[in-house]
Amino acid sequence: MTSKQSRRRPPLLILPSLAWFIVFLIIPIGIVLLYSIRHKGAYGQIDWHLSLDNYRRAFEPIYLLIVVRSLWLAAYTTAICLALSYPLAYFMARSSDSAKKILLALVIIPFWTNFVIRVYSLKLVLGENGTINTILMKLQLITVPLQLVDNQFGVSIGMVYNYLPFMVLPMYVALDKFDFTLMDAAYDLGATKTQTILRVLLPLSLPGIVTGSLFVFIPAFGEFVIPDLLGGSQSMYVGTLITETFLKSRDGPFGSALSSFLVLFAMGAFMFVLSRQAAADETQRLRPLEGPALTPAADAGVSLHV
Amino acid sequence: MMKLSRWAVLLLVVSAVACTKSGDKSPDTGTAAVAAAPKVLNLYCWANYFSPEVIKRFEEKAKVKVNMDFFSSNEELLAKLQAGARGYDLIVPTAYLVKALKELKLIVPLGKLDWPELQGLTGRFRAPDFDPTHEYTIPYSWGTTGIAVNRAKVKAKVDSMSWFFDHPELKGQVTMLDDAPSVIGAALKYLGYSYNESGDEAFAKVKALLSKQKKFLKSYTPESQPVLESGEVAIAQAYSGDVLQVKSRKNPNIDFVLPKEGSELFVDSLAIPTGAPSPALAKEFMRFTLQKDIAVVQVKHLFFSPVVEISKMPELGALAANVAVFPSDASLIKFEMMQENPDRIEKIQRLWTELKSM
Amino acid sequence: MSKRRPVLVTYTAFLLLFLYFPLFVLSVSSFRGGPTFYHWYQRAFSDPQLLLALRNSVVIGLGTTVLSTVLGTLAALGMRKEQFWGRVFFESLLNLPLVLPEIVMGLAMLVWFVFLNITLGLFSVVLAHTTFTVSYVTLIILARLKGMDPLLEEAAADLGATPWRTFLRVTLPLLLPAVVSGALLAFTLSFDDFLITFFTAGVGSDTLPLRIYSMMRFGVTPEMNAISSAMLFLTLGAVLTVFRLRKD
């Protein structure tokens, strides 16, 4: 158990998933990579001579513009979801056991309705003849209906609405294990509420924030259905581009190249974030903790009961 | 642990209920039909495409079960077949796709067809351009892309696509289809070019026109019907059948108009994919659709135009006079079918990407 | 013992309202437009195709959830070992499905399945769904595991518990919220998936999203609305029932 050899050996537990990934993920990705260095045939077949043209093409300004647009969409969606989810996750984590489960279920249940139906219901509420406009007109607060869909506003609402649980769940899970007596300790030691939140709560719930942000940012970056259905399909996003490249242009190779870029970029981001987290974990592990221990209060020496 | 078992029970109950809800036994593993089980015909088509009446009559006549799976675009159909999906007996490609399907060997020849029903095809479809000898396909129905007018909002006479491009006072009240060939094709026809034009000069003009239009467009929409149903828009680009479905069932204020500049005429046909489990059954179905009474039922269901000569049949009632379903040859002079052209596809997508990036 | 947090309670209530309001508005319209208020429900539940799609979605969802939860929990537990050969590789692999566009994954899997001669059907969809949900499950459980003190487990071991027993009685209960959250997320992702399902489904294995997307040209039909609302009411009702039961 302490020999250097076994310390470096991959744990058996990951073997099932690893095997699964190799069979069902790596090989299909390999196919994609293989396609990306070919050309497309006249009717969408693969023309089997090698070329890096597709990768070169991906750098054309028009495609970069699309990437930037998608990045922006993902960024502000993540930010809004983060802001909205944190209080909710906090509340859930501090609730009683039964309340926790109820709240968890309540948060998830809307997302068992179908995606298209959810979007359509948003249209129903936000549309020109929709609920909101009807109510506002009846109350005579407005005379002309507000344009809440087929524009960026509609897209934002749709994005946040659909990605909320992806942020809430990881944050709740991370906050749930948080020892809230630490906050009481901080108050006892004279910290204000703001200070406590900023210096105690936020840093220790960081893993949840990071996971939640990844769960939202990455898929949101590839999102295109919501901008199409709620934004009037007026802008092209990375997801639209890739899907249309595969289907409409029947250009599997170019689509594969675009996807490979996407994958490489995101993987780079992951590795960066992960390595920084690993470094932080390392320093935590090697340096004795300052301040109250992070173990349950049963640990000797620190009594934090309220 | 008690909590765990409660949730487990809940889950079991929900899944049990869900499982018992569907009483029929449809094939869900795609394996070849067992000899003792009733024969099955697997259709791969657009949603809501075949009239339930038509399906029912065929099931009774041929003593088979008809299974329908859906796609929502020709490109999805092609991609799936190309990637190797098998198991479908009959597919419904639009005419322009047939050439690609043939080249990629994704559909099989029908062989010699001694069907008297083939005589019932109207002139245009006896020897259609995309498959003159019915080597691979049988035409099924056709329609046009035209102008949907919301009479509650537009009282003036509408007969031209200028209503798409030249009425900025309708800002936010006009929608176009979210389909590159349709939008670009409409622009081409409006500017006087052929629907299948691929010259750079033409495309530059189209780009200018469409960029201008985009500013007062409400949206590009994949959902033709809800937009018309709700009465939100004044003018919309739409398919003939869709407009008439809405008009007859949901919103009588909507009219369908054939643009005088011409537009697209599209034909849907039936074909048998390679590897079909029951090709003979598929052929039987194809033949069945050519019957006049079946064509009538189909027209009343989808309001797309029939390929079989039925305009004089009494069952049609008022529909026979509907110029959207039975347009005169004169009104169709400027209408063209889309041709499959791999180089052109690239240009179209490029323009579309640029348009949507503005 | 419970602190009153009126601000947070109000906030949560409003957020939940925001989530449910559009769906309720839609549900209301599912009762209108027909001769009776249950007209569309009747039609929906007597449409064998729609019911089959619903059944397929649920079956696929459950299968995916079970598989990915098991695989994901194991993987997360394995990842607790701080340093091992190939760790970075595996962790990157975990994140890959989140990044990959669905169309790429769907098409690639279809090509691969055809090559392997796997008959397309419900099973092929479960395989595909599991592949992308495992990541979510693993990452969620990891978020909880990170920094979780091994002291309790070590204490159990010291007191003579076998590794299996420790896992069952100490680790798993501590992890349960994360495992449940992961499972719920996996089911949600699978139940709602379109593009990957489109390419990997076989004849007769259409799921609810496939049906609904293919009908997009017609918008949401009243029957679809009815089925969706029925599911909403059913699940909400189940939750409230459990809530009531707990109170006793």
Side-chain angles (χ1 to χ4, degrees):
Chain A
M1 194 163 87
T2 49
S3 79
K4 191 140 188 235
Q5 271 254 313
S6 72
R7 216 186 344 203
R8 303 287 301 179
R9 181 174 52 90
L12 253 80
L13 288 171
I14 68 163
L15 247 57
S17 320
L18 187 61
W20 188 280
F21 278 142
I22 292 182
V23 174
F24 292 108
L25 192 60
I26 300 203
I27 298 185
I29 307 280
I31 296 177
V32 169
L33 286 175
L34 217 61
Y35 278 6
S36 69
I37 52 175
R38 311 282 195 236
H39 270 290
K40 76 159 202 165
Y43 297 99
Q45 329 89 303
I46 311 296
D47 178 9
W48 293 94
H49 81 262
L50 292 165
S51 123
L52 285 174
D53 280 347
N54 290 318
Y55 285 98
R56 238 169 279 145
R57 222 175 115 193
F59 279 104
E60 288 180 38
I62 186 169
Y63 300 126
L64 294 179
L65 180 63
I66 294 176
V67 169
V68 168
R69 187 181 289 127
S70 291
L71 280 175
W72 169 238
L73 181 72
Y76 79 70
T77 304
T78 309
I80 299 179
C81 281
L82 188 58
L84 289 180
S85 303
Y86 202 88
L88 177 62
Y90 179 82
F91 179 67
M92 283 166 74
R94 298 217 72 169
S95 306
S96 67
D97 267 358
S98 51
K100 270 184 191 163
K101 294 192 165 59
I102 305 294
L103 284 171
L104 190 62
L106 283 181
V107 168
I108 272 267
I109 283 176
F111 299 89
W112 286 353
T113 55
N114 182 265
F115 172 73
V116 174
I117 291 186
R118 279 203 301 283
V119 170
Y120 188 74
S121 71
L122 281 175
K123 271 189 134 158
L124 208 59
V125 170
L126 298 171
E128 225 177 72
N129 302 329
T131 320
I132 293 189
N133 274 321
T134 316
I135 294 181
L136 289 179
M137 298 267 274
K138 276 232 168 90
L139 293 176
Q140 299 197 320
L141 290 169
I142 52 170
T143 46
V144 177
L146 300 170
Q147 286 299 326
L148 299 171
V149 273
D150 289 330
N151 53 25
Q152 206 54 28
F153 182 74
V155 175
S156 318
I157 298 269
M159 291 295 286
V160 170
Y161 190 84
N162 272 288
Y163 280 94
L164 213 54
F166 291 90
M167 179 67 82
V168 172
L169 248 52
M171 284 178 64
Y172 157 68
V173 162
L175 279 174
D176 190 44
K177 72 166 195 268
F178 180 69
D179 188 359
F180 288 101
T181 51
L182 283 173
M183 290 183 59
D184 300 319
Y187 292 147
D188 284 349
L189 294 168
T192 65
K193 213 160 187 195
T194 327
Q195 278 180 322
T196 317
I197 293 180
L198 285 177
R199 311 284 292 285
V200 181
L201 188 61
L202 278 180
L204 291 172
S205 48
L206 208 57
I209 295 180
V210 169
T211 309
S213 303
L214 284 176
F215 275 11
V216 172
F217 190 86
I218 306 289
F221 178 65
E223 178 68 58
F224 62 100
V225 184
I226 296 178
D228 271 359
L229 292 181
L230 287 170
S233 197
Q234 311 231 25
S235 295
M236 191 162 284
Y237 291 83
V238 169
T240 337
L241 178 64
I242 294 186
T243 309
E244 293 208 344
T245 306
F246 271 101
L247 293 181
K248 304 264 167 79
S249 303
R250 303 187 211 152
D251 196 347
F254 184 52
S256 304
L258 286 173
S259 311
S260 306
F261 264 132
L262 240 190
V263 169
L264 289 171
F265 168 73
M267 295 295 278
F270 277 132
M271 312 262 273
F272 177 67
V273 169
L274 288 174
S275 61
R276 286 190 70 196
Q277 255 200 357
D281 289 345
E282 263 308 290
T283 47
Q284 277 279 315
R285 206 163 60 86
L286 296 174
R287 214 181 27 218
L289 288 165
E290 279 124 30
L294 289 173
T295 52
D299 193 34
V302 188
S303 153
L304 299 166
H305 284 294
V306 173
Chain B
M1 281 296 141
M2 267 302 272
K3 313 164 193 172
L4 188 62
S5 63
R6 281 252 165 77
W7 284 100
V9 166
L10 202 65
L11 218 55
L12 278 169
V13 168
V14 171
S15 45
V17 168
C19 287
T20 51
K21 276 258 168 70
S22 64
D24 67 326
K25 296 166 180 25
S26 305
D28 62 358
T29 51
T31 49
V34 177
K39 285 190 293 173
V40 178
L41 178 70
N42 291 317
L43 294 179
Y44 199 34
C45 53
W46 304 86
N48 207 31
Y49 194 68
F50 291 102
S51 154
E53 178 67 30
V54 168
I55 298 292
K56 203 174 84 176
R57 287 200 200 177
F58 183 74
E59 284 182 328
E60 282 164 4
K61 172 165 187 233
K63 311 241 183 317
V64 296
K65 170 106 183 44
V66 175
N67 209 30
M68 286 191 284
D69 284 329
F70 303 141
F71 56 79
S72 47
S73 77
N74 281 292
E75 286 70 27
E76 285 169 20
L77 171 65
L78 182 63
K80 197 154 176 196
L81 290 179
Q82 220 176 339
R86 297 281 175 266
Y88 303 110
D89 293 311
L90 198 69
I91 56 175
V92 188
T94 305
Y96 74 84
L97 203 68
V98 174
K99 185 163 167 210
L101 290 171
K102 242 170 46 180
E103 297 288 326
L104 294 170
K105 304 210 183 352
L106 294 172
I107 50 179
V108 298
L110 300 175
K112 196 158 183 333
L113 300 170
D114 269 328
W115 302 342
E117 289 90 342
L118 284 171
Q119 303 307 316
L121 289 170
T122 56
R124 195 188 287 272
F125 299 104
R126 289 270 177 86
D129 289 332
F130 60 93
D131 189 7
T133 54
H134 301 299
E135 195 187 345
Y136 286 92
T137 63
I138 299 289
Y140 180 67
S141 78
W142 62 279
T144 49
T145 311
I147 311 173
V149 185
N150 184 356
R151 286 296 170 203
K153 291 196 171 185
V154 176
K155 311 284 184 202
K157 172 165 187 238
V158 174
D159 64 354
S160 150
M161 286 197 282
S162 63
W163 284 88
F164 287 154
F165 301 112
D166 235 341
H167 283 252
E169 79 274 11
L170 286 177
K171 187 167 158 66
Q173 307 256 6
V174 179
T175 64
M176 299 287 279
L177 292 169
D178 191 16
D179 180 54
S182 301
V183 173
I184 293 175
L188 282 169
K189 291 300 272 187
Y190 181 65
L191 291 169
Y193 293 99
S194 151
Y195 196 79
N196 291 298
E197 172 69 50
S198 57
D200 287 332
E201 194 195 304
F203 269 60
K205 290 199 182 149
V206 165
K207 184 171 173 186
L209 181 67
L210 291 177
S211 331
K212 211 179 77 177
Q213 183 204 38
K214 197 175 171 201
K215 299 197 178 76
F216 64 81
L217 212 56
K218 177 173 164 68
S219 64
Y220 295 106
T221 176
E223 318 148 31
S224 305
Q225 296 200 16
V227 150
L228 296 172
E229 197 182 319
S230 66
E232 276 172 26
V233 294
I235 298 273
Q237 186 190 31
Y239 301 125
S240 52
D242 284 331
V243 177
L244 293 173
Q245 282 176 47
V246 172
K247 186 182 174 72
S248 82
R249 293 173 191 151
K250 313 253 176 79
N251 185 348
N253 289 330
I254 310 286
D255 275 343
F256 180 75
V257 172
L258 291 167
K260 66 179 190 221
E261 298 90 352
S263 176
E264 185 188 359
L265 191 156
F266 51 85
V267 181
D268 291 329
S269 55
L270 305 174
I272 302 183
T274 316
S278 320
L281 198 53
K283 278 166 85 166
E284 206 181 316
F285 185 79
M286 283 169 146
R287 187 171 173 180
F288 182 72
T289 63
L290 290 173
Q291 286 172 215
K292 297 200 184 216
D293 54 335
I294 297 299
V296 171
V297 174
Q298 187 59 31
V299 170
K300 285 168 130 176
H301 170 73
L302 264 196
F303 295 100
F304 280 108
S305 310
V307 298
V308 185
E309 177 50 61
I310 52 168
S311 52
K312 307 278 190 300
M313 294 191 63
E315 294 90 330
L316 278 178
L319 262 187
N322 191 320
V323 294
V325 182
F326 296 101
S328 65
D329 283 337
S331 58
L332 289 178
I333 284 184
K334 290 197 167 177
F335 280 71
E336 298 177 68
M337 282 180 55
M338 188 157 100
Q339 306 289 347
E340 166 87 346
N341 182 342
D343 303 312
R344 191 166 178 263
I345 292 176
E346 202 41 56
K347 274 188 145 153
I348 290 184
Q349 276 307 118
R350 183 67 195 219
L351 178 55
W352 193 238
T353 309
E354 286 171 14
L355 189 63
K356 286 211 173 176
S357 297
M358 294 179 190
Chain C
M1 186 222 111
S2 58
K3 287 191 188 158
R4 291 242 141 227
R5 298 184 195 87
V7 176
L8 275 182
V9 172
T10 325
Y11 176 77
T12 305
F14 266 111
L15 205 56
L16 286 176
L17 202 71
F18 165 63
L19 286 181
Y20 281 90
F21 182 64
L23 293 173
F24 275 134
V25 168
L26 195 61
S27 306
V28 164
S29 69
S30 75
F31 294 113
R32 306 224 239 109
T36 60
F37 77 90
Y38 54 82
H39 176 77
W40 302 116
Y41 288 84
Q42 204 172 29
R43 278 185 60 128
F45 285 100
S46 48
D47 179 351
Q49 301 259 330
L50 206 51
L51 290 179
L52 178 63
L54 178 62
R55 189 201 75 148
N56 287 341
S57 287
V58 174
V59 169
I60 290 174
L62 290 176
T64 307
T65 306
V66 168
L67 262 180
S68 58
T69 308
V70 169
L71 286 172
T73 314
L74 292 177
L77 288 171
M79 292 279 281
R80 278 175 98 183
K81 197 174 191 181
E82 289 296 338
Q83 300 266 55
F84 58 86
W85 183 83
R87 189 203 163 88
V88 172
F89 171 66
F90 185 68
E91 201 156 5
S92 318
L93 215 55
L94 266 182
N95 288 301
L96 200 53
L98 271 77
V99 191
L100 221 47
E102 291 223 321
I103 180 135
V104 177
M105 204 154 154
L107 268 177
M109 294 204 94
L110 176 57
V111 171
W112 180 227
F113 284 163
V114 169
F115 180 78
L116 288 177
N117 233 334
I118 295 180
T119 323
L120 294 182
L122 291 182
F123 183 59
S124 52
V125 181
V126 172
L127 292 178
H129 281 196
T130 307
T131 311
F132 73 84
T133 51
V134 167
S135 302
Y136 283 91
V137 177
T138 314
L139 289 171
I140 269 199
I141 299 181
L142 264 181
R144 178 154 176 96
L145 272 179
K146 272 201 165 86
M148 186 165 111
D149 192 14
L151 212 70
L152 284 171
E153 291 156 299
E154 285 173 20
D158 284 346
L159 291 169
T162 61
W164 176 241
R165 211 142 179 245
T166 314
F167 173 70
L168 214 52
R169 294 301 213 77
V170 182
T171 322
L172 197 55
L174 283 175
L175 273 187
L176 207 57
V179 173
V180 169
S181 301
L184 285 176
L185 198 57
F187 185 83
T188 310
L189 287 168
S190 160
F191 196 69
D192 221 5
D193 181 70
F194 170 62
L195 219 37
I196 293 187
T197 316
F198 176 77
F199 286 109
T200 51
V203 173
S205 19
D206 262 9
T207 58
L208 206 56
L210 285 191
R211 279 289 127 120
I212 296 180
Y213 268 81
S214 63
M215 301 271 282
M216 254 209 317
R217 206 158 102 212
F218 311 97
V220 174
T221 63
E223 290 90 346
M224 268 186 235
N225 190 2
I227 281 226
S228 177
S229 306
M231 270 215 71
L232 188 65
F233 296 142
L234 186 70
T235 41
L236 270 180
V239 169
L240 289 172
T241 321
V242 171
F243 184 55
R244 279 291 181 75
L245 289 174
R246 292 238 93 250
K247 283 236 156 186
D248 303 331

